[in-house]
Amino acid sequence: MPDQAVMRRFNAQVVNWTQMHDCYGDVDRVPALLEQVELEDDAEAWKELGYRLVLEHDLVFPASFAALPRLMCLASRSARARGLAGTILRCAAGHHGCDDLLANCADEISGFRELLDRHLQSRPVDYLPAFLDSLAAMAEYHWSSVLGDFTDDFYHLACPHCAVEVTIAVGNHGRYSAIRDWNLGDVDRRDLRPALSEALSGTGRWMYETAVRDGREALADGIAYLFGKAECPRCASVFDIAAEYTSANRPVLR
């Protein structure tokens, strides 16, 4: 990781903070707060940074991406920095108009992914948030925003053959596809067919193998079902759950 003083000088050279407004429209407060947390782990400063860089856990701003390299530099020694950087990345699929700023962070994001992977291997208490942050760092924003711990997970998608809305349940309540009825709940349930580990590829394979490596059996089991196949209760066609969900929900970055 670069020296903190070097990183501050680098940002001072390449970031024009007069154009980097935060959620309040201010352009001077975020760099001042970054200077503060780089000098000491100030809880109040971190709290204000969070408010200014991510609004309602959803909206991000030019200052959010301008701050990313410095947050990622701090992430190796600060859980707050790691968490805030991950939160910003999870919001990166929104219509923020800052794609150029995000692209400029490519090297830092790559390093952040490596840091998160080491953190996951330590089996931390914040495992799932760090797992989701890793997905966001891989630009898998749709999974980073919806993946749960599979205690009570539901995914809704259209059958690719008859277009009926199908509810996919993966959790303690069962692993099935169904038609959701307002009064009756999930009806006409059909058991899901989990993917074999050797058949997984791409992001699904990374998700499954990482969960297995880190001893997260419930997470790995849920991922196997999520990347498996479902039967449509209406037309009885069989389709790939993850492929259909990804097709319908992958954000288009602008």
Side-chain angles (χ1 to χ4, degrees), residues 37-120:
V37 298
E38 284 167 345
L39 292 173
E40 60 178 331
D41 190 28
D42 187 315
E44 287 303 312
W46 279 115
K47 184 177 180 179
E48 185 179 348
L49 259 180
Y51 284 146
R52 287 181 175 273
L53 296 182
V54 185
L55 180 62
E56 299 294 334
H57 305 284
D58 186 43
L59 297 177
V60 284
F61 308 87
S64 310
F65 297 105
L68 261 182
R70 292 168 72 169
L71 291 174
M72 290 175 175
C73 185
L74 286 170
S76 62
R77 61 183 177 88
S78 170
R80 290 188 175 101
R82 185 180 67 243
L84 183 52
T87 300
I88 293 169
L89 279 181
R90 286 201 231 173
C91 299
H95 298 288
H96 43 69
C98 300
D99 291 346
D100 55 337
L101 292 173
L102 181 61
N104 288 339
C105 298
D107 290 342
E108 288 81 3
I109 292 173
S110 178
F112 188 56
R113 281 183 56 189
E114 295 176 4
L115 182 148
L116 287 170
D117 192 61
R118 294 192 297 272
H119 183 61
L120 290 173

Side-chain angles (χ1 to χ4, degrees), residues 144-168:
S144 71
S145 66
V146 301
L147 191 72
D149 60 2
F150 295 112
T151 58
D152 191 32
D153 284 21
F154 293 92
Y155 302 86
H156 305 283
L157 49 84
C159 169
H161 300 281
C162 71
V164 70
E165 183 174 286
V166 179
T167 294
I168 304 295

Side-chain angles (χ1 to χ4, degrees), residues 171-223:
N172 296 338
H173 39 269
R175 299 167 178 82
Y176 59 82
S177 59
I179 302 296
R180 178 151 293 182
D181 182 272
W182 181 262
N183 297 310
L184 302 176
D186 293 341
V187 299
D188 200 4
R189 300 184 182 189
R190 311 290 176 92
D191 290 339
L192 300 181
R193 308 172 190 181
L196 299 175
S197 58
E198 58 268 24
L200 291 169
S201 61
T203 301
R205 188 178 188 88
W206 177 87
M207 292 166 68
Y208 180 82
E209 290 184 346
T210 300
V212 169
R213 179 197 70 186
D214 299 335
R216 298 281 168 161
E217 291 84 2
L219 182 61
D221 182 70
I223 290 167

Side-chain angles (χ1 to χ4, degrees), residues 63 73 90 111 126 131 138 151 232 249:
C73 185
R90 286 201 231 173
D126 64 338
F131 191 89
M138 298 165 66
T151 58
C232 174
N249 292 278

